[in-house]
Amino acid sequence: MTLTPLWNDGIIISIHAIVAIGALVLGAFQFILPKGTSTHRGIGTLWVSLMAIVAVSSFWIHEFKVFGPFSAIHLLSIIVLFYLFSGIRAARRGEITKHKHQMTQLYLLALLITGAFTLLPGRTMHAVIFGAS
């Protein structure tokens, strides 16, 4: 594993990737740790912040241009921001099942599935994990 390709792609992609990895790890802890505790809320606040940074930073990444400088991944970023807001609102209203469902969907769709696509040959994270292709 080498981080050189990550640094070579510029500061925005570097921040985007590092923060996404942080959210991936932190989110995994959220699944394991007890729910409803101050620790859960604290980690959740940090996780939501990291996810917001990942989503917002994507608007400055334009590798796949489909609609002007944007692509379907940017639509996903808008959905992520909406779900973050909606998931927090659900928790504050006591709608815990809705909160759990939305945050789980975010983790699976925005981090695991989308993250898996970054491992395709020719992508930066593929080069980081598997070496230059």
Side-chain angles (χ1 to χ4, degrees):
M1 183 166 98
T2 177
L3 295 177
T4 303
L6 186 59
W7 309 137
N8 290 343
D9 277 349
I11 189 73
I12 296 295
I13 290 178
S14 299
I15 290 170
H16 180 82
I18 290 167
V19 173
I21 291 167
L24 183 70
V25 171
L26 210 55
F29 280 108
Q30 282 294 68
F31 285 113
I32 297 167
L33 296 173
K35 310 303 177 261
T37 64
S38 59
T39 300
H40 176 79
R41 287 187 294 276
I43 291 174
T45 299
L46 180 56
W47 185 80
V48 166
S49 299
L50 294 177
M51 289 298 294
I53 292 168
V54 171
V56 170
S57 66
S58 77
F59 292 108
W60 284 270
I61 299 172
H62 304 284
E63 289 181 355
F64 304 107
K65 298 175 183 175
V66 178
F67 313 104
F70 301 107
S71 69
I73 199 73
H74 296 105
L75 178 59
L76 176 62
S77 295
I78 292 168
I79 293 168
V80 166
L81 293 169
F82 173 78
Y83 262 67
L84 289 172
F85 172 78
S86 181
I88 292 168
R89 185 179 60 201
R92 289 184 176 166
R93 290 181 175 175
E95 299 169 347
I96 302 307
T97 301
K98 181 178 180 180
H99 167 76
K100 179 181 178 181
H101 180 72
Q102 288 183 325
M103 294 305 179
T104 301
Q105 281 187 323
L106 271 175
Y107 188 83
L108 293 174
L109 177 63
L111 288 174
L112 293 184
I113 294 173
T114 305
F117 284 106
T118 69
L119 299 177
L120 293 173
R123 304 290 308 273
T124 300
M125 291 310 293
H126 181 275
V128 168
I129 303 294
F130 303 109
S133 52

PDB file of all heavy atoms in Angstrom, residues 71-108:
ATOM      1  N   SER A  71     -21.720  14.653 -12.179  1.00  0.00           N
ATOM      2  CA  SER A  71     -22.108  13.299 -12.549  1.00  0.00           C
ATOM      3  C   SER A  71     -23.129  12.784 -11.547  1.00  0.00           C
ATOM      4  O   SER A  71     -23.522  13.494 -10.619  1.00  0.00           O
ATOM      5  CB  SER A  71     -20.871  12.386 -12.554  1.00  0.00           C
ATOM      6  OG  SER A  71     -20.403  12.210 -11.225  1.00  0.00           O
ATOM      7  N   ALA A  72     -23.521  11.531 -11.705  1.00  0.00           N
ATOM      8  CA  ALA A  72     -24.492  10.922 -10.799  1.00  0.00           C
ATOM      9  C   ALA A  72     -23.975  10.888  -9.366  1.00  0.00           C
ATOM     10  O   ALA A  72     -24.751  10.927  -8.418  1.00  0.00           O
ATOM     11  CB  ALA A  72     -24.837   9.517 -11.275  1.00  0.00           C
ATOM     12  N   ILE A  73     -22.683  10.832  -9.188  1.00  0.00           N
ATOM     13  CA  ILE A  73     -22.109  10.802  -7.835  1.00  0.00           C
ATOM     14  C   ILE A  73     -22.449  12.091  -7.089  1.00  0.00           C
ATOM     15  O   ILE A  73     -22.627  12.081  -5.872  1.00  0.00           O
ATOM     16  CB  ILE A  73     -20.582  10.549  -7.865  1.00  0.00           C
ATOM     17  CG1 ILE A  73     -20.090  10.058  -6.500  1.00  0.00           C
ATOM     18  CG2 ILE A  73     -19.805  11.753  -8.295  1.00  0.00           C
ATOM     19  CD1 ILE A  73     -20.467   8.653  -6.188  1.00  0.00           C
ATOM     20  N   HIS A  74     -22.598  13.180  -7.807  1.00  0.00           N
ATOM     21  CA  HIS A  74     -22.949  14.445  -7.158  1.00  0.00           C
ATOM     22  C   HIS A  74     -24.413  14.427  -6.707  1.00  0.00           C
ATOM     23  O   HIS A  74     -24.748  15.039  -5.690  1.00  0.00           O
ATOM     24  CB  HIS A  74     -22.653  15.624  -8.088  1.00  0.00           C
ATOM     25  CG  HIS A  74     -21.188  15.734  -8.375  1.00  0.00           C
ATOM     26  ND1 HIS A  74     -20.654  15.344  -9.579  1.00  0.00           N
ATOM     27  CD2 HIS A  74     -20.159  16.141  -7.598  1.00  0.00           C
ATOM     28  CE1 HIS A  74     -19.339  15.524  -9.538  1.00  0.00           C
ATOM     29  NE2 HIS A  74     -19.013  16.008  -8.349  1.00  0.00           N
ATOM     30  N   LEU A  75     -25.258  13.723  -7.435  1.00  0.00           N
ATOM     31  CA  LEU A  75     -26.637  13.529  -6.989  1.00  0.00           C
ATOM     32  C   LEU A  75     -26.646  12.725  -5.688  1.00  0.00           C
ATOM     33  O   LEU A  75     -27.390  13.041  -4.767  1.00  0.00           O
ATOM     34  CB  LEU A  75     -27.463  12.831  -8.071  1.00  0.00           C
ATOM     35  CG  LEU A  75     -28.921  12.528  -7.723  1.00  0.00           C
ATOM     36  CD1 LEU A  75     -29.680  13.815  -7.389  1.00  0.00           C
ATOM     37  CD2 LEU A  75     -29.586  11.799  -8.878  1.00  0.00           C
ATOM     38  N   LEU A  76     -25.801  11.712  -5.624  1.00  0.00           N
ATOM     39  CA  LEU A  76     -25.674  10.933  -4.388  1.00  0.00           C
ATOM     40  C   LEU A  76     -25.246  11.830  -3.229  1.00  0.00           C
ATOM     41  O   LEU A  76     -25.744  11.687  -2.110  1.00  0.00           O
ATOM     42  CB  LEU A  76     -24.676   9.784  -4.562  1.00  0.00           C
ATOM     43  CG  LEU A  76     -24.391   8.960  -3.307  1.00  0.00           C
ATOM     44  CD1 LEU A  76     -25.649   8.281  -2.791  1.00  0.00           C
ATOM     45  CD2 LEU A  76     -23.301   7.951  -3.573  1.00  0.00           C
ATOM     46  N   SER A  77     -24.382  12.768  -3.480  1.00  0.00           N
ATOM     47  CA  SER A  77     -23.929  13.679  -2.427  1.00  0.00           C
ATOM     48  C   SER A  77     -25.084  14.524  -1.891  1.00  0.00           C
ATOM     49  O   SER A  77     -25.171  14.766  -0.686  1.00  0.00           O
ATOM     50  CB  SER A  77     -22.814  14.590  -2.944  1.00  0.00           C
ATOM     51  OG  SER A  77     -21.680  13.816  -3.257  1.00  0.00           O
ATOM     52  N   ILE A  78     -25.971  14.947  -2.780  1.00  0.00           N
ATOM     53  CA  ILE A  78     -27.151  15.698  -2.342  1.00  0.00           C
ATOM     54  C   ILE A  78     -28.047  14.804  -1.491  1.00  0.00           C
ATOM     55  O   ILE A  78     -28.551  15.222  -0.442  1.00  0.00           O
ATOM     56  CB  ILE A  78     -27.906  16.272  -3.559  1.00  0.00           C
ATOM     57  CG1 ILE A  78     -27.060  17.345  -4.236  1.00  0.00           C
ATOM     58  CG2 ILE A  78     -29.272  16.823  -3.149  1.00  0.00           C
ATOM     59  CD1 ILE A  78     -27.560  17.778  -5.597  1.00  0.00           C
ATOM     60  N   ILE A  79     -28.219  13.565  -1.914  1.00  0.00           N
ATOM     61  CA  ILE A  79     -29.027  12.613  -1.146  1.00  0.00           C
ATOM     62  C   ILE A  79     -28.400  12.367   0.223  1.00  0.00           C
ATOM     63  O   ILE A  79     -29.106  12.303   1.232  1.00  0.00           O
ATOM     64  CB  ILE A  79     -29.208  11.297  -1.936  1.00  0.00           C
ATOM     65  CG1 ILE A  79     -30.059  11.562  -3.175  1.00  0.00           C
ATOM     66  CG2 ILE A  79     -29.807  10.202  -1.063  1.00  0.00           C
ATOM     67  CD1 ILE A  79     -30.076  10.428  -4.173  1.00  0.00           C
ATOM     68  N   VAL A  80     -27.079  12.233   0.274  1.00  0.00           N
ATOM     69  CA  VAL A  80     -26.373  12.039   1.548  1.00  0.00           C
ATOM     70  C   VAL A  80     -26.658  13.203   2.484  1.00  0.00           C
ATOM     71  O   VAL A  80     -27.000  13.000   3.658  1.00  0.00           O
ATOM     72  CB  VAL A  80     -24.854  11.862   1.332  1.00  0.00           C
ATOM     73  CG1 VAL A  80     -24.082  12.016   2.635  1.00  0.00           C
ATOM     74  CG2 VAL A  80     -24.559  10.513   0.698  1.00  0.00           C
ATOM     75  N   LEU A  81     -26.531  14.410   1.993  1.00  0.00           N
ATOM     76  CA  LEU A  81     -26.780  15.578   2.843  1.00  0.00           C
ATOM     77  C   LEU A  81     -28.226  15.598   3.340  1.00  0.00           C
ATOM     78  O   LEU A  81     -28.479  15.897   4.517  1.00  0.00           O
ATOM     79  CB  LEU A  81     -26.440  16.867   2.087  1.00  0.00           C
ATOM     80  CG  LEU A  81     -24.950  17.050   1.785  1.00  0.00           C
ATOM     81  CD1 LEU A  81     -24.737  18.200   0.816  1.00  0.00           C
ATOM     82  CD2 LEU A  81     -24.151  17.244   3.059  1.00  0.00           C
ATOM     83  N   PHE A  82     -29.167  15.252   2.474  1.00  0.00           N
ATOM     84  CA  PHE A  82     -30.571  15.189   2.890  1.00  0.00           C
ATOM     85  C   PHE A  82     -30.768  14.128   3.968  1.00  0.00           C
ATOM     86  O   PHE A  82     -31.432  14.364   4.976  1.00  0.00           O
ATOM     87  CB  PHE A  82     -31.478  14.912   1.696  1.00  0.00           C
ATOM     88  CG  PHE A  82     -32.901  14.662   2.098  1.00  0.00           C
ATOM     89  CD1 PHE A  82     -33.730  15.724   2.436  1.00  0.00           C
ATOM     90  CD2 PHE A  82     -33.396  13.369   2.177  1.00  0.00           C
ATOM     91  CE1 PHE A  82     -35.041  15.503   2.837  1.00  0.00           C
ATOM     92  CE2 PHE A  82     -34.707  13.139   2.576  1.00  0.00           C
ATOM     93  CZ  PHE A  82     -35.524  14.207   2.906  1.00  0.00           C
ATOM     94  N   TYR A  83     -30.211  12.936   3.759  1.00  0.00           N
ATOM     95  CA  TYR A  83     -30.360  11.844   4.728  1.00  0.00           C
ATOM     96  C   TYR A  83     -29.681  12.169   6.057  1.00  0.00           C
ATOM     97  O   TYR A  83     -30.189  11.764   7.114  1.00  0.00           O
ATOM     98  CB  TYR A  83     -29.816  10.540   4.157  1.00  0.00           C
ATOM     99  CG  TYR A  83     -30.880   9.642   3.586  1.00  0.00           C
ATOM    100  CD1 TYR A  83     -31.598  10.007   2.453  1.00  0.00           C
ATOM    101  CD2 TYR A  83     -31.171   8.419   4.172  1.00  0.00           C
ATOM    102  CE1 TYR A  83     -32.573   9.188   1.924  1.00  0.00           C
ATOM    103  CE2 TYR A  83     -32.144   7.583   3.654  1.00  0.00           C
ATOM    104  CZ  TYR A  83     -32.848   7.979   2.528  1.00  0.00           C
ATOM    105  OH  TYR A  83     -33.820   7.163   2.011  1.00  0.00           O
ATOM    106  N   LEU A  84     -28.564  12.852   6.020  1.00  0.00           N
ATOM    107  CA  LEU A  84     -27.918  13.264   7.277  1.00  0.00           C
ATOM    108  C   LEU A  84     -28.865  14.153   8.078  1.00  0.00           C
ATOM    109  O   LEU A  84     -29.095  13.924   9.270  1.00  0.00           O
ATOM    110  CB  LEU A  84     -26.601  14.000   7.003  1.00  0.00           C
ATOM    111  CG  LEU A  84     -25.448  13.147   6.495  1.00  0.00           C
ATOM    112  CD1 LEU A  84     -24.282  14.040   6.087  1.00  0.00           C
ATOM    113  CD2 LEU A  84     -25.013  12.125   7.531  1.00  0.00           C
ATOM    114  N   PHE A  85     -29.427  15.152   7.404  1.00  0.00           N
ATOM    115  CA  PHE A  85     -30.371  16.056   8.064  1.00  0.00           C
ATOM    116  C   PHE A  85     -31.591  15.287   8.561  1.00  0.00           C
ATOM    117  O   PHE A  85     -32.019  15.439   9.714  1.00  0.00           O
ATOM    118  CB  PHE A  85     -30.793  17.174   7.094  1.00  0.00           C
ATOM    119  CG  PHE A  85     -31.898  18.032   7.620  1.00  0.00           C
ATOM    120  CD1 PHE A  85     -31.645  19.014   8.568  1.00  0.00           C
ATOM    121  CD2 PHE A  85     -33.197  17.847   7.191  1.00  0.00           C
ATOM    122  CE1 PHE A  85     -32.669  19.804   9.070  1.00  0.00           C
ATOM    123  CE2 PHE A  85     -34.229  18.627   7.679  1.00  0.00           C
ATOM    124  CZ  PHE A  85     -33.960  19.607   8.625  1.00  0.00           C
ATOM    125  N   SER A  86     -32.153  14.463   7.701  1.00  0.00           N
ATOM    126  CA  SER A  86     -33.358  13.717   8.036  1.00  0.00           C
ATOM    127  C   SER A  86     -33.111  12.714   9.171  1.00  0.00           C
ATOM    128  O   SER A  86     -33.951  12.541  10.058  1.00  0.00           O
ATOM    129  CB  SER A  86     -33.860  12.992   6.789  1.00  0.00           C
ATOM    130  OG  SER A  86     -35.028  12.273   7.058  1.00  0.00           O
ATOM    131  N   GLY A  87     -31.958  12.060   9.146  1.00  0.00           N
ATOM    132  CA  GLY A  87     -31.625  11.089  10.190  1.00  0.00           C
ATOM    133  C   GLY A  87     -31.440  11.733  11.553  1.00  0.00           C
ATOM    134  O   GLY A  87     -31.872  11.189  12.574  1.00  0.00           O
ATOM    135  N   ILE A  88     -30.806  12.892  11.566  1.00  0.00           N
ATOM    136  CA  ILE A  88     -30.638  13.632  12.826  1.00  0.00           C
ATOM    137  C   ILE A  88     -32.000  14.096  13.330  1.00  0.00           C
ATOM    138  O   ILE A  88     -32.313  13.965  14.519  1.00  0.00           O
ATOM    139  CB  ILE A  88     -29.696  14.836  12.632  1.00  0.00           C
ATOM    140  CG1 ILE A  88     -28.280  14.353  12.369  1.00  0.00           C
ATOM    141  CG2 ILE A  88     -29.728  15.756  13.852  1.00  0.00           C
ATOM    142  CD1 ILE A  88     -27.361  15.445  11.878  1.00  0.00           C
ATOM    143  N   ARG A  89     -32.811  14.615  12.435  1.00  0.00           N
ATOM    144  CA  ARG A  89     -34.143  15.079  12.816  1.00  0.00           C
ATOM    145  C   ARG A  89     -34.969  13.925  13.387  1.00  0.00           C
ATOM    146  O   ARG A  89     -35.665  14.092  14.393  1.00  0.00           O
ATOM    147  CB  ARG A  89     -34.850  15.713  11.617  1.00  0.00           C
ATOM    148  CG  ARG A  89     -36.199  16.336  11.981  1.00  0.00           C
ATOM    149  CD  ARG A  89     -36.867  16.978  10.805  1.00  0.00           C
ATOM    150  NE  ARG A  89     -37.081  15.941   9.784  1.00  0.00           N
ATOM    151  CZ  ARG A  89     -37.275  16.189   8.505  1.00  0.00           C
ATOM    152  NH1 ARG A  89     -37.279  17.420   8.055  1.00  0.00           N
ATOM    153  NH2 ARG A  89     -37.471  15.210   7.657  1.00  0.00           N
ATOM    154  N   ALA A  90     -34.886  12.755  12.772  1.00  0.00           N
ATOM    155  CA  ALA A  90     -35.630  11.592  13.265  1.00  0.00           C
ATOM    156  C   ALA A  90     -35.188  11.229  14.681  1.00  0.00           C
ATOM    157  O   ALA A  90     -36.029  10.963  15.547  1.00  0.00           O
ATOM    158  CB  ALA A  90     -35.434  10.405  12.321  1.00  0.00           C
ATOM    159  N   ALA A  91     -33.883  11.239  14.941  1.00  0.00           N
ATOM    160  CA  ALA A  91     -33.388  10.910  16.283  1.00  0.00           C
ATOM    161  C   ALA A  91     -33.886  11.927  17.297  1.00  0.00           C
ATOM    162  O   ALA A  91     -34.326  11.556  18.400  1.00  0.00           O
ATOM    163  CB  ALA A  91     -31.867  10.852  16.284  1.00  0.00           C
ATOM    164  N   ARG A  92     -33.831  13.192  16.951  1.00  0.00           N
ATOM    165  CA  ARG A  92     -34.279  14.243  17.874  1.00  0.00           C
ATOM    166  C   ARG A  92     -35.771  14.177  18.147  1.00  0.00           C
ATOM    167  O   ARG A  92     -36.231  14.587  19.210  1.00  0.00           O
ATOM    168  CB  ARG A  92     -33.895  15.618  17.336  1.00  0.00           C
ATOM    169  CG  ARG A  92     -32.403  15.855  17.419  1.00  0.00           C
ATOM    170  CD  ARG A  92     -32.030  17.234  16.975  1.00  0.00           C
ATOM    171  NE  ARG A  92     -30.602  17.437  17.162  1.00  0.00           N
ATOM    172  CZ  ARG A  92     -29.923  18.428  16.640  1.00  0.00           C
ATOM    173  NH1 ARG A  92     -30.551  19.337  15.897  1.00  0.00           N
ATOM    174  NH2 ARG A  92     -28.636  18.540  16.851  1.00  0.00           N
ATOM    175  N   ARG A  93     -36.533  13.652  17.204  1.00  0.00           N
ATOM    176  CA  ARG A  93     -37.987  13.516  17.388  1.00  0.00           C
ATOM    177  C   ARG A  93     -38.351  12.197  18.074  1.00  0.00           C
ATOM    178  O   ARG A  93     -39.526  11.914  18.283  1.00  0.00           O
ATOM    179  CB  ARG A  93     -38.694  13.585  16.032  1.00  0.00           C
ATOM    180  CG  ARG A  93     -38.666  14.948  15.404  1.00  0.00           C
ATOM    181  CD  ARG A  93     -39.401  14.925  14.083  1.00  0.00           C
ATOM    182  NE  ARG A  93     -39.494  16.259  13.518  1.00  0.00           N
ATOM    183  CZ  ARG A  93     -40.003  16.526  12.327  1.00  0.00           C
ATOM    184  NH1 ARG A  93     -40.484  15.559  11.570  1.00  0.00           N
ATOM    185  NH2 ARG A  93     -40.050  17.768  11.892  1.00  0.00           N
ATOM    186  N   GLY A  94     -37.329  11.380  18.350  1.00  0.00           N
ATOM    187  CA  GLY A  94     -37.602  10.089  18.979  1.00  0.00           C
ATOM    188  C   GLY A  94     -38.011   9.009  18.004  1.00  0.00           C
ATOM    189  O   GLY A  94     -38.448   7.933  18.405  1.00  0.00           O
ATOM    190  N   GLU A  95     -37.858   9.266  16.711  1.00  0.00           N
ATOM    191  CA  GLU A  95     -38.197   8.284  15.671  1.00  0.00           C
ATOM    192  C   GLU A  95     -36.959   7.411  15.432  1.00  0.00           C
ATOM    193  O   GLU A  95     -36.301   7.489  14.394  1.00  0.00           O
ATOM    194  CB  GLU A  95     -38.630   9.002  14.400  1.00  0.00           C
ATOM    195  CG  GLU A  95     -39.860   9.874  14.580  1.00  0.00           C
ATOM    196  CD  GLU A  95     -40.132  10.781  13.396  1.00  0.00           C
ATOM    197  OE1 GLU A  95     -39.245  10.945  12.512  1.00  0.00           O
ATOM    198  OE2 GLU A  95     -41.233  11.357  13.348  1.00  0.00           O
ATOM    199  N   ILE A  96     -36.661   6.569  16.397  1.00  0.00           N
ATOM    200  CA  ILE A  96     -35.401   5.827  16.411  1.00  0.00           C
ATOM    201  C   ILE A  96     -35.317   4.805  15.286  1.00  0.00           C
ATOM    202  O   ILE A  96     -34.255   4.627  14.683  1.00  0.00           O
ATOM    203  CB  ILE A  96     -35.177   5.176  17.797  1.00  0.00           C
ATOM    204  CG1 ILE A  96     -35.182   6.260  18.895  1.00  0.00           C
ATOM    205  CG2 ILE A  96     -33.899   4.364  17.825  1.00  0.00           C
ATOM    206  CD1 ILE A  96     -34.227   7.430  18.654  1.00  0.00           C
ATOM    207  N   THR A  97     -36.418   4.135  14.977  1.00  0.00           N
ATOM    208  CA  THR A  97     -36.400   3.166  13.880  1.00  0.00           C
ATOM    209  C   THR A  97     -36.064   3.855  12.563  1.00  0.00           C
ATOM    210  O   THR A  97     -35.243   3.360  11.781  1.00  0.00           O
ATOM    211  CB  THR A  97     -37.759   2.429  13.778  1.00  0.00           C
ATOM    212  OG1 THR A  97     -37.997   1.771  15.023  1.00  0.00           O
ATOM    213  CG2 THR A  97     -37.759   1.419  12.651  1.00  0.00           C
ATOM    214  N   LYS A  98     -36.672   4.999  12.311  1.00  0.00           N
ATOM    215  CA  LYS A  98     -36.385   5.771  11.093  1.00  0.00           C
ATOM    216  C   LYS A  98     -34.929   6.233  11.098  1.00  0.00           C
ATOM    217  O   LYS A  98     -34.233   6.119  10.078  1.00  0.00           O
ATOM    218  CB  LYS A  98     -37.323   6.973  11.005  1.00  0.00           C
ATOM    219  CG  LYS A  98     -37.120   7.813   9.770  1.00  0.00           C
ATOM    220  CD  LYS A  98     -38.121   8.966   9.707  1.00  0.00           C
ATOM    221  CE  LYS A  98     -37.914   9.800   8.469  1.00  0.00           C
ATOM    222  NZ  LYS A  98     -38.879  10.917   8.404  1.00  0.00           N
ATOM    223  N   HIS A  99     -34.448   6.730  12.228  1.00  0.00           N
ATOM    224  CA  HIS A  99     -33.062   7.178  12.363  1.00  0.00           C
ATOM    225  C   HIS A  99     -32.101   6.026  12.050  1.00  0.00           C
ATOM    226  O   HIS A  99     -31.169   6.180  11.243  1.00  0.00           O
ATOM    227  CB  HIS A  99     -32.828   7.697  13.790  1.00  0.00           C
ATOM    228  CG  HIS A  99     -31.397   7.884  14.147  1.00  0.00           C
ATOM    229  ND1 HIS A  99     -30.645   8.945  13.689  1.00  0.00           N
ATOM    230  CD2 HIS A  99     -30.567   7.145  14.931  1.00  0.00           C
ATOM    231  CE1 HIS A  99     -29.418   8.850  14.174  1.00  0.00           C
ATOM    232  NE2 HIS A  99     -29.345   7.768  14.922  1.00  0.00           N
ATOM    233  N   LYS A 100     -32.340   4.888  12.669  1.00  0.00           N
ATOM    234  CA  LYS A 100     -31.469   3.724  12.455  1.00  0.00           C
ATOM    235  C   LYS A 100     -31.469   3.303  10.986  1.00  0.00           C
ATOM    236  O   LYS A 100     -30.417   3.036  10.409  1.00  0.00           O
ATOM    237  CB  LYS A 100     -31.936   2.574  13.345  1.00  0.00           C
ATOM    238  CG  LYS A 100     -31.122   1.319  13.197  1.00  0.00           C
ATOM    239  CD  LYS A 100     -31.649   0.213  14.100  1.00  0.00           C
ATOM    240  CE  LYS A 100     -30.853  -1.052  13.892  1.00  0.00           C
ATOM    241  NZ  LYS A 100     -31.353  -2.154  14.723  1.00  0.00           N
ATOM    242  N   HIS A 101     -32.648   3.270  10.393  1.00  0.00           N
ATOM    243  CA  HIS A 101     -32.781   2.863   8.991  1.00  0.00           C
ATOM    244  C   HIS A 101     -32.012   3.820   8.068  1.00  0.00           C
ATOM    245  O   HIS A 101     -31.257   3.391   7.192  1.00  0.00           O
ATOM    246  CB  HIS A 101     -34.260   2.816   8.618  1.00  0.00           C
ATOM    247  CG  HIS A 101     -34.526   2.403   7.213  1.00  0.00           C
ATOM    248  ND1 HIS A 101     -34.351   1.115   6.764  1.00  0.00           N
ATOM    249  CD2 HIS A 101     -34.957   3.116   6.142  1.00  0.00           C
ATOM    250  CE1 HIS A 101     -34.656   1.054   5.486  1.00  0.00           C
ATOM    251  NE2 HIS A 101     -35.027   2.247   5.079  1.00  0.00           N
ATOM    252  N   GLN A 102     -32.191   5.121   8.270  1.00  0.00           N
ATOM    253  CA  GLN A 102     -31.541   6.097   7.395  1.00  0.00           C
ATOM    254  C   GLN A 102     -30.019   6.090   7.560  1.00  0.00           C
ATOM    255  O   GLN A 102     -29.289   6.162   6.567  1.00  0.00           O
ATOM    256  CB  GLN A 102     -32.107   7.485   7.638  1.00  0.00           C
ATOM    257  CG  GLN A 102     -33.516   7.608   7.105  1.00  0.00           C
ATOM    258  CD  GLN A 102     -34.089   8.994   7.258  1.00  0.00           C
ATOM    259  OE1 GLN A 102     -33.824   9.696   8.219  1.00  0.00           O
ATOM    260  NE2 GLN A 102     -34.911   9.389   6.304  1.00  0.00           N
ATOM    261  N   MET A 103     -29.548   6.007   8.782  1.00  0.00           N
ATOM    262  CA  MET A 103     -28.102   6.020   9.001  1.00  0.00           C
ATOM    263  C   MET A 103     -27.454   4.735   8.481  1.00  0.00           C
ATOM    264  O   MET A 103     -26.353   4.764   7.926  1.00  0.00           O
ATOM    265  CB  MET A 103     -27.777   6.241  10.482  1.00  0.00           C
ATOM    266  CG  MET A 103     -28.191   7.607  10.977  1.00  0.00           C
ATOM    267  SD  MET A 103     -27.462   8.928   9.965  1.00  0.00           S
ATOM    268  CE  MET A 103     -28.123  10.366  10.757  1.00  0.00           C
ATOM    269  N   THR A 104     -28.167   3.612   8.612  1.00  0.00           N
ATOM    270  CA  THR A 104     -27.655   2.347   8.073  1.00  0.00           C
ATOM    271  C   THR A 104     -27.598   2.409   6.553  1.00  0.00           C
ATOM    272  O   THR A 104     -26.609   1.985   5.945  1.00  0.00           O
ATOM    273  CB  THR A 104     -28.528   1.166   8.541  1.00  0.00           C
ATOM    274  OG1 THR A 104     -28.519   1.125   9.971  1.00  0.00           O
ATOM    275  CG2 THR A 104     -28.020  -0.157   7.997  1.00  0.00           C
ATOM    276  N   GLN A 105     -28.637   2.946   5.939  1.00  0.00           N
ATOM    277  CA  GLN A 105     -28.632   3.099   4.480  1.00  0.00           C
ATOM    278  C   GLN A 105     -27.478   3.982   4.019  1.00  0.00           C
ATOM    279  O   GLN A 105     -26.833   3.691   3.016  1.00  0.00           O
ATOM    280  CB  GLN A 105     -29.950   3.690   3.993  1.00  0.00           C
ATOM    281  CG  GLN A 105     -31.071   2.706   3.923  1.00  0.00           C
ATOM    282  CD  GLN A 105     -32.299   3.318   3.285  1.00  0.00           C
ATOM    283  OE1 GLN A 105     -32.606   4.487   3.486  1.00  0.00           O
ATOM    284  NE2 GLN A 105     -33.018   2.521   2.508  1.00  0.00           N
ATOM    285  N   LEU A 106     -27.245   5.074   4.733  1.00  0.00           N
ATOM    286  CA  LEU A 106     -26.133   5.966   4.395  1.00  0.00           C
ATOM    287  C   LEU A 106     -24.810   5.217   4.434  1.00  0.00           C
ATOM    288  O   LEU A 106     -23.988   5.333   3.531  1.00  0.00           O
ATOM    289  CB  LEU A 106     -26.063   7.145   5.369  1.00  0.00           C
ATOM    290  CG  LEU A 106     -26.861   8.368   5.014  1.00  0.00           C
ATOM    291  CD1 LEU A 106     -26.784   9.386   6.133  1.00  0.00           C
ATOM    292  CD2 LEU A 106     -26.375   8.970   3.714  1.00  0.00           C
ATOM    293  N   TYR A 107     -24.614   4.471   5.510  1.00  0.00           N
ATOM    294  CA  TYR A 107     -23.353   3.737   5.660  1.00  0.00           C
ATOM    295  C   TYR A 107     -23.180   2.747   4.503  1.00  0.00           C
ATOM    296  O   TYR A 107     -22.121   2.698   3.881  1.00  0.00           O
ATOM    297  CB  TYR A 107     -23.323   3.008   7.005  1.00  0.00           C
ATOM    298  CG  TYR A 107     -21.983   2.387   7.305  1.00  0.00           C
ATOM    299  CD1 TYR A 107     -20.958   3.144   7.850  1.00  0.00           C
ATOM    300  CD2 TYR A 107     -21.734   1.041   7.039  1.00  0.00           C
ATOM    301  CE1 TYR A 107     -19.716   2.588   8.124  1.00  0.00           C
ATOM    302  CE2 TYR A 107     -20.508   0.471   7.310  1.00  0.00           C
ATOM    303  CZ  TYR A 107     -19.501   1.253   7.848  1.00  0.00           C
ATOM    304  OH  TYR A 107     -18.269   0.703   8.118  1.00  0.00           O
ATOM    305  N   LEU A 108     -24.229   1.996   4.209  1.00  0.00           N
ATOM    306  CA  LEU A 108     -24.129   0.985   3.158  1.00  0.00           C
ATOM    307  C   LEU A 108     -23.984   1.593   1.769  1.00  0.00           C
ATOM    308  O   LEU A 108     -23.104   1.209   1.002  1.00  0.00           O
ATOM    309  CB  LEU A 108     -25.353   0.069   3.193  1.00  0.00           C
ATOM    310  CG  LEU A 108     -25.481  -0.814   4.433  1.00  0.00           C
ATOM    311  CD1 LEU A 108     -26.805  -1.571   4.409  1.00  0.00           C
ATOM    312  CD2 LEU A 108     -24.314  -1.766   4.554  1.00  0.00           C
TER     313      LEU A 108
END
